DNA sequence: CAGAACAGTAGGACGACGTTATACAAGAGG
DNA sequence: CCTCTTGTATAACGTCGTCCTACTGTTCTG
């Protein structure tokens, strides 16, 4: 934790520290436990057992339980960014709609990840910088789509961050409520689709 | 827990059980601890100490820690309903906008409550019925505003629940992200105002 | 090639948590 | 007056996150 230890060379994989594999195994195990048993079941002992290492390994590698969870959430944010980025339809509006649908699909497919990413209150302090960077990258992907749409004249020109924030707020709220079982309409998918169209229609460039 | 014990009469307040006061004291204490130290600090022992009773009182009165927290959240949802209901401007659109602003004001004024109401994942099982009822009442207040606006011809006619769900999703998402420090625009209040207008404009009855 | 220095591991221990079991005090019914 | 129910208080159990101590294997120096 003091300062970066300069590793002179990489040693072709399993050289200096044979424990980079342990690091990977711990994150894998934590992710498995998270998906299988929920965030509450992600305990240091359970993850260490699942990974086949001693509980102390968590503290050697990640500093604390929060550091380990942060490593898992980094993967989550990266997956979210990938979901938002894929299906880059050339048509700007189609691309935005696809991003919104993929956002929801990701959240419903990885509800435990999504809940831990946005529901768990105090974001882990350990490894928070990396976490924020990955979260910002996911948001930036959305901003890029907005910029693309504005450049093509498909969305009203204004600060892209402002517009992206509006979209993210609405989309996150809808997904968050749906995961919490608080969507009271008969078909959440239909309501979500209405929301997406409400957003893009409202943000469209008004006809000349 | 078996079945409803029929209390023959009310006994003018402090009759049969002198512990209704203890119940009140525990909820008050839990609320104080929640506001002062956050949800994580709401432990059975801490609340009992704050209320000046033994930890067992929590289990006698509420069955579990979750039951106690549910009692606190009932107050929270009631406050949220009150916030959404107040300022019932006769103009439907003004009323909707005021509700949205009051919703955010409530969340920012009671961030710990709001976080526990929507952020804490497994909603407490104990007293869940009452909790759901109060949450539904808050949502129903919004549905009423939407119905009022539709009846006056200010909003496009469709299922009011559907429309209210759209509004709630967006508003909750914005507030939730703001409480989590994830609003990346310079002035969250301005962005929130944009969101409110985007919603009401998009839901307005199109000109004839 | 031998010994020193050291990062990483293993296991147990500490305090705090939610919860439960056991023993005790106080008011209602006969 | 005795009994029985009801609620309280104390102490304990198991698990959690975290830390301390002893130990092992590797890496560098001579």
């Amino acid at each position: 934790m003091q300062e970066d230890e300069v590793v002179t060379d990489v040693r072709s994989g399993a050289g200096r520290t044979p424990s980079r594999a342990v690091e990977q195994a711990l994150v894998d195990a934590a992710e498995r436990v998270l998906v299988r048993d929920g965030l509450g079941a992600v305990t240091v002992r359970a993850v260490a057992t699942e990974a086949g290492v001693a509980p102390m390994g968590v503290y050697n590698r990640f500093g604390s339980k929060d550091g380990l969870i942060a490593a898992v959430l980094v993967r989550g944010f990266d997956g979210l960014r990938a979901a938002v980025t894929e299906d880059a339809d050339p048509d700007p509006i189609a691309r935005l709609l696809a991003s919104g649908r993929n956002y929801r699909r990701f959240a419903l497919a990885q509800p435990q990840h999504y809940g831990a990413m946005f529901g768990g209150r105090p974001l882990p302090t350990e490894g928070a910088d990396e976490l924020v960077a990955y979260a910002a990258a996911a948001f930036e992907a959305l901003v890029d789509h907005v910029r693309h749409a504005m450049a093509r004249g498909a969305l009203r020109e204004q600060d892209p961050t402002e517009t992206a924030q509006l979209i993210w707020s609405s989309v996150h709220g809808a997904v968050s409520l749906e995961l919490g079982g608080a969507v009271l309409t008969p078909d959440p998918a239909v309501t979500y689709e209405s929301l997406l169209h409400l957003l893009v229609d409202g943000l469209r460039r008004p006809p000349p």
Side-chain angles (χ1 to χ4, degrees), chain A:
Chain A
M1 212 60 67
Q2 326 265 27
E3 44 187 340
D4 301 56
E5 313 169 13
V6 178
V7 181
T8 47
D9 59 358
V10 184
R11 267 352 145 90
S12 74
R16 183 83 160 73
T17 84
S19 44
R20 192 56 58 93
V22 172
E23 201 167 313
Q24 186 89 359
L26 276 172
V27 180
D28 288 343
E31 200 161 21
R32 272 198 305 274
V33 174
L34 173 67
V35 170
R36 182 183 349 117
D37 305 320
L39 183 59
V42 180
T43 71
V44 172
R45 287 171 175 84
V47 172
T49 301
E50 176 91 17
V53 304
M56 262 309 275
V58 173
Y59 296 92
N60 293 328
R61 300 274 142 231
F62 301 96
S64 69
K65 178 194 173 186
D66 282 347
L68 171 61
I69 291 185
V72 176
L73 296 191
V74 160
R75 290 190 184 180
F77 278 112
D78 202 47
L80 186 59
R81 183 198 51 72
V84 169
T85 306
E86 72 178 336
D87 294 347
D89 196 297
D91 177 67
I93 298 298
R95 183 182 298 192
L96 278 172
L97 291 175
S99 290
R101 296 186 188 109
N102 288 338
Y103 188 101
R104 173 167 178 267
R105 186 177 1 259
F106 173 87
L108 294 186
Q110 315 277 350
Q112 306 285 7
H113 283 75
Y114 195 87
M117 287 156 67
F118 293 105
R121 267 325 63 218
L123 278 182
T125 55
E126 206 83 20
D129 303 336
E130 192 183 7
L131 201 57
V132 168
Y134 273 81
F139 179 70
E140 205 60 32
L142 172 59
V143 177
D144 280 346
H145 289 164
V146 169
R147 263 196 284 262
H148 176 258
M150 286 179 181
R152 299 285 185 292
L155 285 191
R156 189 173 25 221
E157 295 257 13
Q158 62 175 9
D159 182 2
T161 300
E162 202 81 28
T163 297
Q165 182 75 51
L166 293 182
I167 297 173
W168 187 26
S169 293
S170 298
V171 162
H172 163 68
V175 163
S176 174
L177 289 182
E178 184 169 357
L179 287 182
V183 170
L184 305 179
T185 54
D187 188 341
V190 170
T191 304
Y192 188 80
E193 199 67 21
S194 299
L195 180 64
L196 290 182
H197 282 93
L198 175 65
L199 289 172
V200 298
D201 288 349
L203 296 168
R204 261 208 178 90
R205 171 179 288 274

